[in-house]
C-alpha cells in the first residue's frame, strides 16, 4: 500500500530523481536562479530549503550533510560562504517560484525558481522608510495641530494689509 507517500516521482526512478534534484540544486546555488517546469521547481524547493537552513550553522557536520546531497564541493562552498550569511535572519522561505508561461513543445507549465534575497527587483533595501498613514483617534491630538495653522493664517492677512495702507 502507498498510504501517506505523497512524493512526486516526476516520471523517474529513485536514483534518476535524486541525481536530477542534486544537479538542479547545484545549478540553483551556483547561478541563483534557474528555469524549469513547475513540478520540478516545487520538488526542488523541498530539496533545497532544508539545505539552506542547515547552512546557517557552519560546522563540519552540516557541510558533510549538505555535500552528501549535492556532491559538488564548489556548490557547498558557495552555499556556506555567500548564501547563508545573506539569509541568516530569514526564518524560512528562501526560494521564490515565478511562473513564466507554457513550453511550446509539450505545453508544460514553466517557471523560474530563484533565491529571494538575490533578486534586486523584489528586494526593498532603499534608505527611505516606508511611509504610513496616521489616523486621528481623538480630538486632543487634532487640536494642537489646528492652532498653529490658525495663527499663521491670522498673521498673513495683517502683513498684507499693512503695506497696502502705506
Amino acid at each position: 500500500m502507498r498510504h501517506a507517500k505523497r512524493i512526486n516521482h516526476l516520471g523517474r526512478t529513485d536514483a534518476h530523481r535524486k541525481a536530477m534534484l542534486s544537479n538542479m540544486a547545484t545549478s540553483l546555488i551556483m547561478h541563483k536562479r534557474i528555469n524549469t517546469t513547475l513540478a520540478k521547481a516545487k520538488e526542488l524547493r523541498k530539496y533545497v530549503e532544508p539545505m539552506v537552513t542547515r547552512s546557517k550553522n557552519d560546522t563540519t557536520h552540516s557541510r558533510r550533510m549538505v555535500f552528501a546531497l549535492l556532491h559538488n564541493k564548489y556548490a557547498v562552498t558557495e552555499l556556506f560562504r555567500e548564501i547563508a550569511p545573506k539569509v541568516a535572519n530569514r526564518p524560512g522561505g528562501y526560494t521564490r517560484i515565478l511562473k513564466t508561461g507554457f513550453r511550446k513543445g509539450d505545453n508544460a507549465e514553466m517557471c523560474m525558481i530563484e533565491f529571494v534575497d538575490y533578486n534586486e527587483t523584489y528586494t526593498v533595501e532603499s534608505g527611505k522608510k516606508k511611509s504610513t498613514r496616521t489616523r486621528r483617534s481623538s480630538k486632543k491630538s487634532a487640536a494642537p495641530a489646528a492652532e498653529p495653522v490658525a495663527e499663521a493664517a491670522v498673521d498673513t492677512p495683517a502683513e498684507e494689509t499693512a503695506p497696502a495702507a502705506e
Side-chain angles (χ1 to χ4, degrees):
M1 287 189 244
R2 63 180 308 273
H3 294 298
K5 294 186 179 182
R6 292 184 177 93
I7 184 172
N8 189 349
H9 295 287
L10 301 171
R12 288 161 173 81
T13 62
D14 185 51
H16 186 185
R17 186 172 52 255
K18 286 179 182 175
M20 181 191 66
L21 288 173
S22 176
N23 290 334
M24 289 176 68
T26 300
S27 296
L28 180 64
I29 290 167
M30 296 303 280
H31 301 292
K32 311 302 186 269
R33 108 176 26 152
I34 58 172
N35 293 313
T36 183
T37 63
L38 185 63
K40 287 180 189 173
K42 287 179 178 180
E43 286 302 309
L44 181 62
R45 183 187 337 190
K46 293 179 201 174
Y47 191 82
V48 168
E49 298 224 357
M51 278 194 278
V52 177
T53 302
R54 190 175 291 276
S55 72
K56 289 181 181 182
N57 184 15
D58 191 2
T59 61
T60 305
H61 178 66
S62 60
R63 281 181 178 264
R64 286 178 178 165
M65 295 294 288
V66 170
F67 182 76
L69 296 172
L70 288 180
H71 306 295
N72 186 332
K73 64 182 180 180
Y74 302 111
V76 173
T77 304
E78 180 83 11
L79 178 64
F80 279 84
R81 285 194 186 156
E82 307 255 336
I83 296 171
K86 223 168 185 185
V87 298
N89 59 353
R90 184 178 287 276
Y94 312 110
T95 57
R96 172 188 299 127
I97 294 176
L98 300 169
K99 295 180 180 178
T100 58
F102 296 92
R103 188 161 50 197
K104 189 174 182 182
D106 60 354
N107 207 28
E109 191 168 8
M110 298 299 288
C111 68
M112 178 181 6
I113 183 168
E114 64 184 4
F115 283 111
V116 172
D117 295 322
Y118 281 90
N119 190 342
E120 292 82 23
T121 306
Y122 293 105
T123 56
V124 180
E125 294 183 18
S126 61
K128 283 196 237 176
K129 197 174 184 183
K130 194 173 183 182
S131 63
T132 58
R133 289 185 175 179
T134 55
R135 296 180 184 174
R136 287 189 249 171
S137 59
S138 65
K139 292 182 181 179
K140 292 178 186 176
S141 63
E147 290 176 13
V149 174
E151 290 174 11
V154 172
D155 291 339
T156 306
E159 292 173 5
E160 289 177 6
T161 56
E166 291 178 9

